[in-house]
Amino acid sequence: LLSVCTLNGHLELLVVDRTAWEIRSRGRIKMHKGSCRESRFFPAGQHVVSGGADGHAVVSDLEGGKVCKKTAGGKLNCLHVMGEQQFATGDDSGVVKVWDVRQKQPSYLFEEHDEFVTG
């Protein structure tokens, strides 16, 4: 399974058949109001998190049901999944936040960078 971010805020889910050299669509999920900039699967493969220019990180199950939305603040540039419940975001203002999907606020906040954070 492959996720592709789009400029109109969608996350395209694609199934790649490497033996037949075919790619077919598994669906499209509207995740963001602005562009979708980054996406990552959680280890078990049941959920995906995306970060967008709208300043949100959105966790969704693969059927399109949003599990949670975190307001990260700045436009998100990168994501890193750290387990089944945790992920980190980096944004245009140089802030790195570590999130737990079970909590409303970030678990950790790092403001060590003077410029934007990229993957």
Side-chain angles (χ1 to χ4, degrees), residues 13-67:
L13 298 173
L14 304 171
V15 177
V16 180
D17 183 345
R18 292 186 287 181
T19 57
W21 292 98
E22 293 178 348
I23 298 174
R24 67 183 191 282
S25 176
R26 178 159 176 205
R28 176 187 293 186
I29 306 169
K30 178 70 172 174
M31 302 286 271
H32 300 278
K33 290 187 178 178
S35 64
C36 181
R37 292 185 166 184
E38 180 94 19
S39 64
R40 294 281 182 257
F41 289 101
F42 283 84
Q46 300 297 317
H47 295 91
V48 63
V49 60
S50 65
D54 59 2
H56 296 292
V58 180
V59 178
S60 178
D61 65 26
L62 294 183
E63 302 304 317
K66 289 186 178 89
V67 175

Side-chain angles (χ1 to χ4, degrees), residues 54-56 70-76 91 97:
D54 59 2
H56 296 292
K70 305 295 183 184
T71 302
K75 296 178 180 180
L76 297 181
D91 66 28
K97 294 179 182 176

